[in-house]
Amino acid sequence: MKKSLIALSSMLMLGGTAHAQKVTFEEYDLANGLHVILHNDPSAPVVITSVMYHVGAKDEQPDRTGFAHFFEHLLFEGTENIKRGEWFKIVSSNGGVNNANTTDDRTYYYEVFPSNSLQLGLWMESERMMHPVINQIGVDTQNEVVKEEKRKSYDNRPYGQIFQEVKKNMFTKHPYRWTTIGSMAHLDAAKLEEFQAFNKKFYIPNNAVLVVAGDINNPTQTKAWIEQYFGSISKQPAIVRQKFVEDPIVKEINATFEDQNIQKPMMILAYRTPSMKTRDARVLDFISSILSDGKSSRLYKKIVDDKKMALEIGAFNQSQEDYGTYIIYGLPQGEFTNVGLAKEVDAEIVNLQTELVSEKELEKLKNKYDSDFVDGNSNVEGIASNLASFYLLYGDVNLINTEIEMYHSITREEIREVAKKYLNPNQRLILDYVPAKDKADSNDSEQAKQNK
Amino acid sequence: MKKYIIILISSLFLSVIMQAQDRTQPKPGPSPKININKPQTFTLPNGLKVLVVENHKLPRVSFSLTIDNAPYAEGDKKGVSNLLASLLEMDLKQFLKTLTTKKLIFLVQTLAFLLKVHMQAVCQNIQKEF
């Protein structure tokens, strides 16, 4: 019994003095410009191979939106050595899982395999980069798939068009003004040659990072495979990117959107914030947590718990490469209105702009970010994605270990100053997101009758 | 045999070109072994069995409490363990809300079937609370 207590207490003691984990990695470039990052962690016999391409919705032409996301689908169609429809069979028959995702800034493809299939993962990603088959049948198939995705996830989902409306109003020059899923009319109008040209321009070794993370039992062999499969892909002309600068918002923007799929109006306030690479963006992360993260946040406690004015209040803090968007939303309850909720939110923001947060609240925040930092690097998939993002989007792969220090150095005064700088009424959009009139009326009155 | 020798020789001399051309689907290597460490175990005087697994890869500790209540124990009150699990989870979350405002961040999750409670916290703060 004594022994076991000692074991338990020693575990707790050790915990108390343990330091935060450090992610170790090795990085180098191939001659064709492909950046390679290796992270060895043999604790489980799995390995992830992933490629992040620096292409997203913001690299599209205004009359061809949705291309980057379309390619997330299209590049599973097949390659010169992987027949159409075979991709997923190869992955699952070798005990793997795979997926891909697209944002406005980048596209990410990955496979997770048992570590004895590392070579297979590398081969598949190199096939995709070297010679994907882009033909009419693939384009036609994925066109239908993407349309269904749009109907399901946006057009027919209650409150599914928030981002589309916010982006449209918040950005006038920057490509962030359109959605990642894009326009179906644009995709319909696009010719096969346009898809092929988009692939040739962006999905190239010198616009990508390859990450191998997990049980790499033989680094020398791994590097030889990488050279074998990726080394022969030719370098392409560097991508010339246009820089889009938005004028500051100086007058409150008012907009209304009618959603056919809802019965309760929603209040939406959106503020434009700086690039996620800036220090201010990290301070705004703190502000977002104080105001709206979880049930112990200031807005939730006041508006939902205490005053019972809303069914729900929360926020999306969109961190992006060029600009961010901080979106606060709320569902007013009973007699309360969007305008009433906005007033309460404003009062809390003014409070942040005038009063310092308490030392205790700041400590709680830092604990939360410590916890998120540990969780974010708790498995090899998370580490692979973080390594790729920090290298490709933030331009400093070491942030995987050091970003937390930046959060730790944030002061109470900084929180106040940053709230003053970005969260003023004249810098924002108020979006009245309401039920569509004709449809909602009949539904509402019917429901009212039923309730009586 | 001759053919193999030729391939071998040419691969020695033209290894770079050969490698570039070999784009057939690679075969998996030998299956890897999974190594899971044995836990230290002991039993408290009240009969609660404790398993301790040390792993210092992350500064994080997870706790989970599993109660062996087989489905037949519900008798004719089907779903009672689900209700109890939900109540426990609500209660715990309420309790943890007060803790999070202090020092700890917890993840709580209950699984009804086994009445399993799972919590997780970052280490720096564990000692202060327990």
Side-chain angles (χ1 to χ4, degrees):
Chain A
M1 183 58 210
K2 214 177 207 173
K3 197 181 139 205
S4 47
L5 272 186
I6 292 170
L8 189 70
S9 63
S10 78
M11 183 187 87
L12 296 179
M13 290 290 286
L14 275 169
T17 52
H19 293 288
Q21 83 278 12
K22 189 171 177 353
V23 177
T24 55
F25 54 88
E26 186 187 344
E27 51 177 340
Y28 62 97
D29 282 316
L30 297 188
N32 58 17
L34 177 67
H35 193 72
V36 180
I37 305 176
L38 307 176
H39 164 70
N40 191 8
D41 176 356
S43 46
V46 291
V47 71
I48 172 166
T49 48
S50 69
V51 176
M52 189 177 278
Y53 293 92
H54 203 172
V55 57
K58 79 165 170 333
D59 297 297
E60 296 160 352
Q61 292 304 312
D63 59 350
R64 288 290 180 269
T65 65
F67 259 46
H69 171 257
F70 195 79
F71 266 84
E72 175 198 322
H73 288 255
L74 202 54
L75 294 186
F76 281 100
E77 277 285 306
T79 73
E80 278 182 23
N81 296 309
I82 301 175
K83 281 201 217 77
R84 183 158 188 271
E86 289 295 309
W87 186 282
F88 298 101
K89 286 183 199 160
I90 295 174
V91 171
S92 53
S93 63
N94 284 282
V97 289
N98 76 128
N99 213 335
N101 53 63
T102 313
T103 70
D104 288 353
D105 295 323
R106 94 290 179 281
T107 312
Y108 188 57
Y109 300 88
Y110 66 90
E111 297 75 42
V112 187
F113 276 118
S115 54
N116 58 331
S117 285
L118 167 58
Q119 191 185 359
L120 180 65
L122 291 170
W123 174 72
M124 292 184 87
E125 281 308 331
S126 72
E127 280 287 309
R128 170 150 44 207
M129 190 183 293
M130 189 175 200
H131 41 219
V133 174
I134 296 169
N135 56 16
Q136 198 58 50
I137 184 171
V139 167
D140 290 345
T141 306
Q142 294 308 330
N143 185 292
E144 285 305 317
V145 174
V146 169
K147 277 180 183 162
E148 182 55 22
E149 182 181 340
K150 183 167 185 287
R151 285 190 287 261
K152 188 176 136 213
S153 306
Y154 303 93
D155 299 348
N156 294 318
R157 170 177 287 187
Y159 307 101
Q161 289 164 85
I162 294 174
F163 285 103
Q164 171 194 301
E165 290 308 305
V166 167
K167 294 174 91 173
K168 198 167 80 185
N169 283 292
M170 294 298 282
F171 297 99
T172 54
K173 295 176 180 168
H174 197 284
Y176 285 160
R177 67 183 181 273
W178 58 76
T179 57
T180 317
I181 192 104
S183 152
M184 298 306 110
H186 295 174
L187 293 179
D188 284 342
K191 300 210 166 52
L192 182 62
E193 300 77 61
E194 294 178 58
F195 289 110
Q196 286 162 341
F198 195 80
N199 180 65
K200 206 174 164 206
K201 182 174 180 191
F202 289 108
Y203 299 79
I204 56 175
N206 41 317
N207 189 40
V209 54
L210 166 71
V211 180
V212 182
D215 184 17
I216 303 172
N217 47 40
N218 187 340
T220 315
Q221 175 65 74
T222 303
K223 286 180 200 167
W225 283 331
I226 292 171
E227 183 56 41
Q228 176 189 344
Y229 291 129
F230 290 90
S232 48
I233 303 172
S234 52
K235 188 172 187 162
Q236 299 296 323
I239 296 160
V240 184
R241 289 174 207 272
Q242 209 183 326
K243 199 170 161 53
F244 297 93
V245 181
E246 287 284 340
D247 299 324
I249 299 173
V250 289
K251 192 169 163 280
E252 189 171 81
I253 306 165
N254 282 281
T256 306
F257 180 75
E258 293 186 8
D259 187 331
Q260 298 217 324
N261 305 311
I262 63 167
Q263 299 187 2
K264 285 249 166 223
M266 181 181 262
M267 170 213 73
I268 292 167
L269 305 175
Y271 301 83
R272 197 194 292 152
T273 56
S275 158
M276 64 190 183
K277 291 184 271 190
T278 60
R279 183 177 173 88
D280 280 0
R282 271 86 173 199
V283 180
L284 281 156
D285 287 343
F286 266 18
I287 291 175
S288 167
S289 296
I290 298 168
L291 286 177
S292 52
D293 184 17
K295 297 192 170 172
S296 60
S297 66
R298 288 185 180 186
L299 289 178
Y300 195 93
K301 273 205 286 202
K302 176 176 152 190
I303 298 172
V304 180
D305 278 353
D306 297 345
K307 297 198 172 181
K308 305 206 185 318
M309 292 177 71
L311 297 165
E312 176 65 29
I313 200 141
F316 307 106
N317 193 15
Q318 289 270 91
S319 299
Q320 295 181 292
E321 204 177 354
D322 295 346
Y323 292 99
T325 315
Y326 178 46
I327 305 167
I328 303 175
Y329 65 91
L331 284 173
Q333 156 148 263
E335 300 297 303
F336 296 102
T337 61
N338 283 355
V339 178
L341 283 198
K343 262 187 200 150
E344 296 294 332
V345 173
D346 279 345
E348 281 306 314
I349 291 177
V350 168
N351 188 1
L352 266 183
Q353 290 171 328
T354 46
E355 306 283 328
L356 289 178
V357 299
S358 69
E359 291 280 4
K360 221 171 172 180
E361 205 167 5
L362 187 66
E363 197 197 332
K364 176 193 160 192
L365 273 176
K366 289 179 181 174
N367 286 342
K368 182 192 144 31
Y369 278 78
D370 276 346
S371 172
D372 289 350
F373 172 68
V374 172
D375 289 343
N377 292 326
S378 65
N379 63 48
V380 286
E381 288 169 53
I383 288 176
S385 153
N386 285 343
L387 284 169
S389 302
F390 283 128
Y391 168 76
L392 198 81
L393 303 178
Y394 289 79
D396 179 5
V397 67
N398 291 306
L399 283 170
I400 196 164
N401 293 314
T402 58
E403 192 186 32
I404 190 69
E405 291 163 18
M406 211 184 296
Y407 284 110
H408 271 275
S409 68
I410 292 172
T411 62
R412 299 190 295 156
E413 288 75 14
E414 250 181 314
I415 292 174
R416 188 181 59 191
E417 292 320 305
V418 167
K420 269 195 234 171
K421 194 167 162 192
Y422 297 100
L423 301 183
N424 297 305
N426 65 343
Q427 294 171 302
R428 73 173 173 203
L429 159 74
I430 292 196
L431 174 62
D432 210 18
Y433 195 97
V434 295
K437 276 200 190 90
D438 44 347
K439 201 175 170 187
D441 275 352
S442 58
N443 280 348
D444 268 0
S445 52
E446 222 166 87
Q447 215 168 30
K449 270 180 222 157
Q450 277 174 5
N451 288 344
K452 277 169 198 166
Chain B
M1 189 60 206
K2 217 178 201 174
K3 198 177 137 203
Y4 291 131
I5 290 172
I6 292 169
I7 289 173
L8 190 71
I9 291 171
S10 64
S11 74
L12 284 175
F13 285 99
L14 302 164
S15 63
V16 177
I17 295 166
M18 276 304 290
Q19 280 179 351
Q21 285 170 346
D22 179 16
R23 298 205 62 93
T24 52
Q25 183 182 333
K27 298 260 182 306
S31 289
K33 280 206 177 66
I34 301 171
N35 297 309
I36 296 173
N37 289 338
K38 286 247 163 9
Q40 303 177 51
T41 64
F42 59 91
T43 308
L44 293 180
N46 60 14
L48 181 71
K49 180 135 186 161
V50 184
L51 282 74
V52 180
V53 181
E54 271 192 61
N55 181 341
H56 298 282
K57 191 183 152 198
L58 297 174
R60 184 168 78 172
V61 179
S62 298
F63 310 84
S64 74
L65 179 68
T66 309
I67 296 160
D68 183 13
N69 61 324
Y72 63 78
E74 289 188 330
D76 56 358
K77 299 257 188 310
K78 295 282 174 263
V80 74
S81 68
N82 273 299
L83 280 173
L84 182 60
S86 301
L87 282 172
L88 269 178
E89 189 172 343
M90 264 169 62
D91 235 35
L92 261 172
K93 282 193 169 154
Q94 208 57 39
F95 165 68
L96 293 170
K97 218 164 151 183
T98 60
L99 276 188
T100 44
T101 49
K102 286 188 191 162
K103 298 204 165 56
L104 292 168
I105 301 293
F106 277 107
L107 281 173
V108 185
Q109 194 191 346
T110 59
L111 296 171
F113 176 58
L114 279 171
L115 267 192
K116 183 168 175 159
V117 181
H118 176 79
M119 297 195 279
Q120 197 167 284
V122 172
C123 294
Q124 290 96 298
N125 306 312
I126 295 285
Q127 245 181 319
K128 300 178 196 163
E129 291 294 332
F130 290 90

